[in-house]
Amino acid sequence: MNENVMNFNYNGDNPLDSTGVPRKNLVVFFLIDTSASMKGKKMGELNTIMEELIPEISHIGGADTDIKIAVLTFSDDIQWMYSIPMSAESFEWNRLNASGVTNMGKAFEELASKLSMSSFLDNPSMSLAPVIFLMTDGFPSDEYKKGLAMLKSNSWFNYAVKTALGMGEDADDKMLAEFTGSPDTVVHAYTGNQLAKLIKTVAVTASQIGSETYSDGINGISGKSKQELLGEQLQKLTAEEDDDFTFSTGW
Amino acid sequence: MIELKIGQHIEMEYGGTAKVLKILGSGGQGIVYLVEFNKMKWALKWYDIDKIKHPKEFRRNIQNNIADGAPSNRFLWPKYLTKELSDGSFGYLMELKPDSFDSFVDILNTYKLVVDPFTGHAVKKQVRFSNLYAMVTAVINIVNAFRQLHRDGKSYQDLNDGGFFINVDTGAVLVCDCDNIAPEGSNFGIGGKPGYMAPEIVRGIAKPDVQTDKYSLAVVLFRLLFRGDPMEGERVVKDVCLTETSELKHYGQNALFVYDPDDASNRPVIGIHDNVIRFWRLYPDYIKDAFIRSFTVGLHDPNKRIIENEWQKLFIRLRAEIIQCDCGRTNFTTMFGKNDDRSYQCPKCGKIFPTMSFSNHDFRFPIYAGRRFFECEIDTESNEFLNLAGEIVKNKNNPNVLGIRNCSEKTWKVKMPDGKFYNVSSGKGFQMWDGLEIDFGNVTAKVD
């Protein structure tokens, strides 16, 4: 063999031997109220719909985005369902139970501590701004302003696509709008059917918008932020109302 | 949106109903269902009408596309429209993709999720090209499909990783999601997918058309071969969080190719872009130059983008320059040693490969057992990239002697050692020798 050929480095040169394309990270945070008032039908609906929802979310990213899920529950205590965000493809939903009070402020503080590159958002490739979905049926029992202020000073939170779902009569939409930054991105469910539908629509729409940038397409950058796009779409989607039993009378 | 119910009957435009059987998948504009219509199974794409900007025009465009028919059988083209429901929503039927095809997304991810029928759990199943021929053939087929579409005066508009199904064993390609395809100059609201959109669309100064398709096509080809994003390198990942502003910068105004020869500030990063780093060095310069051109001068000047016919020629050459060595090593000739102008040598086992020349190509084809010739290589008029025309085989009695089998429909004229030409008909073979000449019709080949 001549010298040229002998010195050839042919290690690792199989053009077919690839790993997956590097994917961008998108963490979808679910902040879920598991206080006692959620007991019964609301929790049942929520658990069922979340189980069904996750496989659907996992397809949204395609080959470009790895969608991960992190679930934080708050009642007397705050608790992550898993200690790190898990890929939606392999996420298994643990059914939640309801009891205790609504320590939403503590949940905000905990979320703020995890919204960092050294914590939950540590993808070596790039991350997309996270999607944050808050679900509650009541007013915080604790002082939430401090936690909210911590979030508002976190730039991941500021870039995040934020949405909130109020359940039943007691949820305070004004406070939820403080969290998301605008009333457009707060939706309200009064009935079980609405709850199931809204969780799904809101989570899928927010994840879709979160995983893309130019969702408005045609004019390139639309001039609208993701948050504004989400507000617009949610307003359109929730315009269609339907009736069934209401939470306040049903249980 | 209003989802269809399993068992629901949807009225078709020209009579009859399609019965919804199950959901096959969902996308940005709607949901795809498996349906039964006229005792056959079809895929029904059902639109989320709220997400369609101009539903009437959009529907009329699909109607026109149905009437025009597909540019070729490489498209899963719309076949029948449904009637509109009271809220204006509608869908169309197309043929189902065969099971032997995998989605391009799964190929890029290198796996797919398959639900185990016994446990109901999704398990990961590897998806990769089974051979190098298949991968390069897939590229040729993708390029050719878009050449056919553009020759029909239409553009795809939303070219991205979700638009193809590929047979990883043969390289056969089916283009799907053909509903945004529109005549040149028209656009019905689609912008495209981030990462695939031409910079001028990202910047908001152009609408999708044939020229922007060419940019997206180059991105698709780059991702298929190099398994990474052509614009994502050091400069991009420094941003950590990909916000609207950083995306506009890195994919619009200041987009910079990772291998821009004049600017090294956005090179791929070890640990993140390992595929791109590893694969870039394997390819011959004529392939790398085409990508460099697409993503440097072609980035901001749509007229400088590589035309499909040029891609097609480059990749037909690349496929012809694959060597499959007996020791198991399969690679492009660039990754084999070159002793002289007429032979290659395997760096692993030392085997030497002679070459032959073709009258319609200005490069030499390596000779080895298992080497296949395709119709497009021996017939200048042919667009058949999958059809086998000939194959180099070992003699059954003496494996050291190589011959060529005529797998085409045509009769070839072959010069034998006695200096005379003989007819070799379809299915017949003949021995290779130094001085062999083959007349395929409008192409000739020589071992010299």
Side-chain angles (χ1 to χ4, degrees), chain A residues 2 17 19 64 89 127 213, chain B residues 111 223 242 247 275 278 339:
Chain A
N2 83 27
D17 190 16
T19 55
D64 300 306
E89 281 175 355
S127 289
T213 297
Chain B
Y111 67 87
R223 293 176 77 94
L242 192 65
E247 195 149 352
N275 285 335
R278 209 151 51 88
N339 285 320

Side-chain angles (χ1 to χ4, degrees), chain B residues 29-45:
Chain B
Q29 292 179 311
I31 298 178
V32 180
Y33 297 91
L34 176 70
V35 298
E36 193 177 87
F37 173 60
N38 275 347
K39 296 190 175 136
M40 274 172 65
K41 301 262 185 357
W42 300 84
L44 164 65
K45 172 127 184 209

Side-chain angles (χ1 to χ4, degrees), chain A residues 126-147:
Chain A
M126 303 198 75
S127 289
L128 290 157
V131 171
I132 303 172
F133 187 4
L134 171 66
M135 295 179 226
T136 179
D137 74 337
F139 199 78
S141 327
D142 61 350
E143 177 43 61
Y144 71 93
K145 296 263 183 199
K146 184 182 151 213

